[in-house]
Amino acid sequence: QVQLQESGPGLVKPSETLSLTCTVSGSSIRSAYYWGWVRQPPGKGLEWIGTAFHSGITHYNPSLKSRVTISLHTSDNQFSLKVTSVTAADTAVYYCVRDNGRSSSDQWGQGTLITVSS
Amino acid sequence: QSALTQPASVSGSPGQPITISCTGTSSDVGTYDLVSWYQQHPGKAPKLLIYEVTKRPSGVSNRFSGSKSGNTASLTIFGLQAEDEADYYCCSHAGTPTPHLIFGGGTKLTVL
């Protein structure tokens, strides 16, 4: 059974860097899947952030690309998300996902709410 | 990149079929057979229902069916059930300026 679990600070100050980690069990991040992040502002729709493959390939949302980095940590079977220079608009539930390589996320974490506020 | 266009809400009675549309452009839905659909109940993570336009993951009911014509993809739910009441999102691969995914704005399904 594949499980993904997000972990992070919950509260981030404006202009700082948001850092999240996703711990994967039941599936190796060195396998033939992409690993990524999707977010959902409170009461709003889903926004794709990006994905990464163990070969080093990354794909990012063009509107976020300058502020986002997704990294895979194979020794821990984890991957991470960093978003720099955050504002209130980055307040959202952040989900880590497994992408099946066909542009669809077949496994999701439970999500973690990140609030940007001073 | 603008979100794919979905109706904000649809409704139907138990047992009836309903269809949710998802309109994109020739740069995404119209070019790539990489459209997926997700179901999200309140307070829960989304669940994959359909991928590659028409395919269902193992365990997803065959009451859910996907299709595509031109720049518009559709999700049809047959034999509507109370448990189908949820938000539904479409998603498509897009190739420019770099490969990425775009979600629709979401559709709230109400079972009357």
Side-chain angles (χ1 to χ4, degrees), chain A residues 14 20-21 23 37 44 54 57 67 80 91 97 106 115 117:
Chain A
L20 292 173
T21 297
T23 300
W37 296 87
K44 296 187 178 181
H54 65 80
I57 295 172
R67 299 193 295 127
S80 62
T91 293
V97 301
D106 63 354
T115 301
S117 175

Side-chain angles (χ1 to χ4, degrees), chain A residues 7-75:
Chain A
S7 58
L11 181 66
V12 182
K13 290 182 169 55
S15 81
E16 294 189 344
T17 296
L18 179 166
S19 296
L20 292 173
T21 297
C22 182
T23 300
V24 180
S25 59
S27 182
S28 171
I29 64 170
R30 285 174 286 190
S31 61
Y33 292 101
Y34 284 75
W35 304 90
W37 296 87
V38 174
R39 70 182 183 180
Q40 185 171 35
K44 296 187 178 181
L46 302 171
E47 180 178 35
W48 183 81
I49 298 173
T51 56
F53 194 66
H54 65 80
S55 66
I57 295 172
T58 53
H59 298 300
Y60 296 120
N61 186 322
S63 67
L64 299 171
K65 186 174 183 177
S66 63
R67 299 193 295 127
V68 169
T69 302
I70 296 174
S71 304
L72 301 188
H73 310 286
T74 55
S75 60

Side-chain angles (χ1 to χ4, degrees), chain B residues 86-98:
Chain B
D87 293 325
Y88 291 83
Y89 293 90
C90 63
C91 182
S92 175
H93 180 91
T96 58
T98 56

